[in-house]
Amino acid sequence: MLERIHLEILTAIKEHGTLTKAAESLHLSQSALSHSIKKLEGQVATPIWKKDGRNLRLTAAGERIQTLANRVLPQFLHTELLLNQIAKGEMGSLRIGMECHPCYQWLLRVIQPYLEQWPNIDMDVKQEFQFGALGALLSYEIDVLITPDPLFKPQIDYIPVFNYEHRLVVSASHKLAQQDFVLPEQLSEEVLFSYPVEPLRLDIFSQFLNPAKCSVKKHKLIETTEIMLQMVAAGRGVCALPGWLVDEYSKSMPIKSIRFGEKGIGKQIFIGIRKNEQDIDYLSDFIAQAKKTK
């Protein structure tokens, strides 16, 4: 009953609003679009769209179909792209979604040798994902997910690529700078800088402060690592970052990292891919390169 053209038509209507513009975007005539949808409406016995002045508005049934289109059409396009690349002897493309704000420096070290090894691979890094990339991976909008906090699903394989310690970062002149580790109650008067991520997904809250029923004086959001560390170095507050990243910046900035509690917070970076795709050569080589890069 439902065909791919129906999904494409409703997606075009949702995007462009009018039959004329939708037909132009699909390189079809308006009559062809109308005929296709009228035939579908006859089969399902309910309207798919309604006129709203000069525009078309999807009905509840139309919205349900368009929701399906959002999930299915990217998979069609992904498979067609792969088939086209196979036919042309090309290797493919690698679209990476990041759920790890401070991992870009590490990713750059992975990408450079990888691109030298795979000169025909197109690569794109999706930076707009903030703990929403799992849905993008499942819907074929990205091919690889880099995350320190995997949400395990039956359709996804997560491969651990390296371990690190999550640490508190303070200025070199901070009163805590000489301590080997910090206790939760010692942060009660501190301003905490973090990336724009909900507190429940921040390890300093979920694994350190919340279990001790403690908090910070103020929590401020900063999008870039460099600005965050400049604020910390200036004594404006503290932040929490991977130890390996702080070690790099501490060579040129007056900052120091401190362990969270006596045992610290151990973390891993994972690469998530769709199940059964580890055998794709350029994906498996990317994972191998990531495991070698510290």
Side-chain angles (χ1 to χ4, degrees):
M1 184 182 296
L2 278 175
E3 301 176 10
R4 179 178 176 179
I5 187 61
H6 299 139
L7 307 184
E8 292 176 337
I9 290 172
L10 294 191
T11 298
I13 290 294
K14 187 80 172 181
E15 180 179 355
H16 299 289
T18 68
L19 191 62
T20 301
K21 292 181 179 179
E24 289 175 354
S25 70
L26 295 174
H27 305 290
L28 297 171
S29 67
Q30 295 182 46
S31 60
L33 265 63
S34 295
H35 176 75
S36 180
I37 296 302
K38 283 181 180 178
K39 182 179 178 181
L40 177 61
E41 288 176 331
Q43 292 173 329
V44 299
T46 188
I48 301 299
W49 62 37
K50 292 182 179 179
K51 287 187 176 181
D52 186 7
R54 294 184 177 181
N55 295 332
L56 290 175
R57 179 174 55 84
L58 298 183
T59 63
E63 291 285 358
R64 291 294 296 270
I65 298 172
Q66 212 278 312
T67 299
L68 173 67
N70 288 339
R71 297 199 307 268
V72 173
L73 287 180
Q75 298 184 39
F76 271 114
L77 295 173
H78 176 70
T79 302
E80 287 172 346
L81 176 62
L82 291 178
L83 293 174
N84 187 46
Q85 289 165 341
I86 291 171
K88 293 180 178 179
E90 298 174 353
M91 300 312 300
S93 62
L94 186 62
R95 299 162 299 169
I96 302 170
M98 297 289 290
E99 278 193 339
C100 179
H101 284 80
C103 289
Y104 290 106
Q105 287 88 338
W106 166 79
L107 181 61
L108 291 175
R109 297 199 297 271
V110 177
I111 288 175
Q112 183 178 358
Y114 177 78
L115 290 178
E116 292 175 358
Q117 183 180 355
W118 293 93
N120 294 324
I121 287 289
D122 288 328
M123 182 174 289
D124 187 19
V125 179
K126 305 289 187 180
Q127 301 183 28
E128 69 268 25
F129 294 109
Q130 295 179 0
F131 296 99
L134 178 60
L137 184 60
L138 290 170
S139 62
Y140 290 79
E141 295 174 53
I142 58 174
D143 306 300
V144 166
L145 170 59
I146 296 175
T147 179
D149 299 294
L151 297 174
F152 292 96
K153 299 286 184 180
Q155 312 96 307
I156 303 297
D157 286 330
Y158 286 101
I159 301 98
V161 291
F162 75 87
N163 302 325
Y164 67 94
E165 184 178 345
H166 202 57
R167 295 176 70 90
L168 181 73
V169 190
V170 300
S171 72
S173 59
H174 195 284
K175 62 184 179 181
L176 297 174
Q178 303 308 313
Q179 296 186 190
D180 293 328
F181 61 89
V182 63
L183 298 175
E185 55 268 23
Q186 291 181 294
L187 300 183
S188 61
E189 296 300 314
E190 298 292 339
V191 174
L192 174 68
F193 301 116
S194 82
Y195 298 110
V197 175
E198 58 183 284
L200 290 177
R201 298 299 299 269
L202 294 172
D203 294 303
I204 186 172
F205 284 109
S206 64
Q207 296 196 48
F208 188 64
L209 292 172
N210 291 349
K213 297 183 179 179
C214 295
S215 190
V216 292
K217 181 179 180 179
K218 197 168 186 178
H219 181 198
K220 294 185 177 181
L221 306 181
I222 297 180
E223 293 190 1
T224 61
T225 303
E226 289 78 7
I227 297 299
M228 187 185 301
L229 289 176
Q230 289 286 355
M231 295 289 283
V232 171
R236 303 288 186 87
V238 301
C239 68
L241 290 172
W244 57 267
L245 183 63
V246 184
D247 290 343
E248 289 185 14
Y249 278 99
S250 64
K251 297 173 184 177
S252 58
M253 300 177 69
I255 56 174
K256 184 178 178 182
S257 70
I258 307 170
R259 173 165 287 183
F260 284 110
E262 292 187 66
K263 296 182 179 179
I265 298 177
K267 297 285 290 181
Q268 285 181 304
I269 292 296
F270 292 83
I271 290 182
I273 61 173
R274 289 179 290 271
K275 195 169 288 291
N276 301 321
E277 291 194 357
Q278 285 199 46
D279 292 335
I280 298 176
D281 290 345
Y282 61 88
L283 277 178
S284 62
D285 279 4
F286 178 81
I287 294 169
Q289 183 61 50
K291 288 181 176 180
K292 292 190 298 184
T293 306
K294 304 299 182 184

